[in-house]
Amino acid sequence: MRRSFYEFLMTLRNSESVEPEAEFANNAFRDSSFPKHEENYQKLSEYLELNAGYLPSMTIFDEAYQKYQEIDKK
């Protein structure tokens, strides 16, 4: 069974890191409305564009989603 993007993102959490993907993961963890079971890029993108003031650039999401897809193919 495929894991959700959120489950993948949680593997990037690191409270001591200043890397953009780690900060995104840390903030998503604190976002109680984050769509935790979603896999679809478009739905995640729409949510983040409308609700994630903590994400300074959608490029961070795009890069993390690309990694999510690559890992899931293995």
Side-chain angles (χ1 to χ4, degrees):
M1 189 169 138
R2 181 176 179 166
R3 64 181 167 170
S4 71
F5 176 73
Y6 179 82
E7 290 172 308
F8 163 75
L9 190 60
M10 292 302 98
T11 67
L12 304 178
R13 281 182 64 209
N14 180 345
S15 61
E16 297 176 13
S17 175
V18 293
E19 290 298 317
E21 287 182 351
E23 289 185 346
F24 172 31
N26 294 336
N27 287 321
F29 176 74
R30 291 188 286 273
D31 179 355
S32 61
S33 298
F34 194 94
K36 293 177 175 64
H37 302 290
E38 191 59 62
E39 299 171 19
N40 180 274
Y41 173 88
Q42 196 60 41
K43 290 179 181 176
L44 288 161
S45 181
E46 286 176 20
Y47 172 81
L48 292 168
E49 287 176 7
L50 296 173
N51 301 291
Y54 54 79
L55 189 62
S57 169
M58 286 301 288
T59 302
I60 298 165
F61 163 66
D62 291 339
E63 290 171 357
Y65 194 85
Q66 182 67 36
K67 289 180 182 177
Y68 165 64
Q69 287 186 309
E70 289 170 6
I71 288 172
D72 199 54
K73 288 179 185 175
K74 294 178 181 175

